[in-house]
Amino acid sequence: MDSQTKPEPMRVLVTGGSGLVGKAIEHVVKQEGGCLEGEQWNFLCSKEANLVDLQQTRAVFEKYRPTHVIHLAAKVGGLYLHMKENLHFLRDNLRINDNVLQTSHERGVTKVVSCLSSCIFPDKTTYPIDESMIHNGPPHDSNFGYSHAKRMIDIQNRGYFVQHGRRYTAVIPTNVYGPYDNFNCENGHVLSALMHKTYAAKKEGTPLQVWGSGTPRRQFIYSLDVARLFLWVLREYDEIDPIILSVGEEEELPIKDAVEMIADALDFKGQIVFDTSKSDGQMKKTASNAKLRRYLPDFTFTPLSEGIKKTCDWFVNNYDIART
């Protein structure tokens, strides 16, 4: 067939391929038929290339010659590390993002889908938050460095489109959880840290100590749902403006409800103690998924109790390899 009429199969490079979302995308691509005939998918981990370094970034693009990029790589840490080293997170993430986007542009990559974070939203805002409100005020003080670096991806995407016609875009997932997350009790994501704490409390026969009051509300999204949506964005979503990937506003629930689901999933029958001397963080960050629903009215999200059960089972069965 004439090469004009038949586009060549995608060669996709996934940066941050060994993290929570990267592993979920790998699962969908390899186990759920997410890879179409002729496509090549390469999942990059930080051991293979340090993307803070421009030469290493260029070398890895030279090696895999991607036509499409899913950009997940970022320098991240727990809340307290971010508070201590905001400048460090700002500079490293600005470098990583600029290296990936500019190298993609120089090499003629057709599309880049980057991953932003719900922490980029303004701290003082009205709810629900939507895609048009990202730059309406400063982010929360605790991780301003990381948040501003992530916001700049949106600005840069706009620049590559206006100046070069590039279709580089971004997604904003809410609180993602699932297998291969960081389950560290001190600086893991909230659900994963709670799973590890509950597992340990059950094993030791001690009460489960939950930091904070359990009243802050969050929208949780299972990593495999995020991965399925990422593939849709890569193949179908044509806007430069970002899109929020989240369950609906009505699915936002208090942390204490999730704690009970985790206790059920791990069959923990002990006492649950909420340590109110610990900070609660933001009480809510309600995000609107109206834009996603306009595109995909029928997408079914994994119910939280089911996703928590699957993640707890994975954690117990893979305790030796889990990041703890």
Side-chain angles (χ1 to χ4, degrees), residues 20-88:
L20 168 64
V21 177
K23 282 290 192 186
I25 292 174
E26 184 173 24
H27 178 90
V28 171
V29 165
K30 293 181 176 171
Q31 314 289 327
E32 295 185 6
C35 177
L36 302 185
E37 193 183 344
E39 286 178 357
Q40 290 171 25
W41 286 75
N42 291 296
F43 294 84
L44 197 61
C45 70
S46 52
K47 289 185 191 69
E48 192 173 349
N50 176 7
L51 300 174
V52 174
D53 181 290
L54 179 59
Q55 296 324 116
Q56 290 189 42
T57 308
R58 284 179 168 159
V60 90
F61 272 72
E62 176 63 40
K63 177 177 175 182
Y64 293 114
R65 297 175 24 260
T67 59
H68 294 67
V69 172
I70 290 179
H71 175 38
L72 308 173
K75 185 75 135 198
V76 292
L79 174 68
Y80 300 105
L81 189 61
H82 275 284
M83 287 166 79
K84 212 168 59 207
E85 300 186 7
N86 264 298
L87 177 65
H88 183 97

Side-chain angles (χ1 to χ4, degrees), residues 118 121 128-134 170-174 219 221 229 232 237 241-247 286-293 301:
S118 55
F121 289 119
I129 300 166
D130 68 35
E131 291 84 355
S132 68
M133 297 158 71
I134 297 173
V171 302
I172 311 170
T174 45
Q219 287 154 298
I221 180 168
L229 290 168
W232 168 77
Y237 180 73
D241 285 337
I243 185 165
I244 290 169
L245 305 183
S246 178
V247 298
T286 324
S288 165
N289 72 350
K291 182 176 184 175
L292 177 66
R293 281 300 185 207
F301 290 95

Side-chain angles (χ1 to χ4, degrees), residues 259-270:
V259 171
E260 284 164 18
M261 292 179 193
I262 291 169
D264 277 352
L266 290 167
D267 199 29
F268 174 76
K269 301 276 199 279

Side-chain angles (χ1 to χ4, degrees), residues 87-117:
L87 177 65
H88 183 97
F89 283 101
L90 175 74
R91 295 187 68 218
D92 276 2
N93 283 297
L94 284 172
R95 284 197 185 111
I96 290 169
N97 299 335
D98 186 61
N99 288 345
V100 168
L101 290 171
Q102 180 60 18
T103 305
S104 295
H105 166 61
E106 287 170 1
R107 297 196 61 95
V109 168
T110 305
K111 188 165 179 180
V112 180
V113 182
S114 297
C115 195
L116 308 185
S117 157

Side-chain angles (χ1 to χ4, degrees), residues 151-193:
R151 280 186 186 188
M152 281 302 114
I153 291 180
D154 177 50
I155 304 292
Q156 213 162 336
N157 285 342
R158 207 181 308 168
Y160 283 113
F161 177 67
V162 170
Q163 207 168 318
H164 301 292
R166 293 279 182 220
R167 304 210 82 85
Y168 297 169
T169 189
V171 302
I172 311 170
T174 45
N175 291 64
V176 188
Y177 70 96
Y180 297 98
D181 200 357
N182 176 1
F183 290 85
N184 184 288
C185 292
E186 307 292 318
N187 60 20
H189 288 131
V190 57
L191 289 194
S192 308

Side-chain angles (χ1 to χ4, degrees), residues 306-323:
E306 184 188 321
I308 281 178
K309 179 74 179 117
K310 287 179 166 163
T311 308
C312 286
D313 289 349
W314 182 88
F315 178 67
V316 171
N317 294 328
N318 296 276
Y319 189 77
D320 331 341
I321 64 155
R323 284 187 288 164

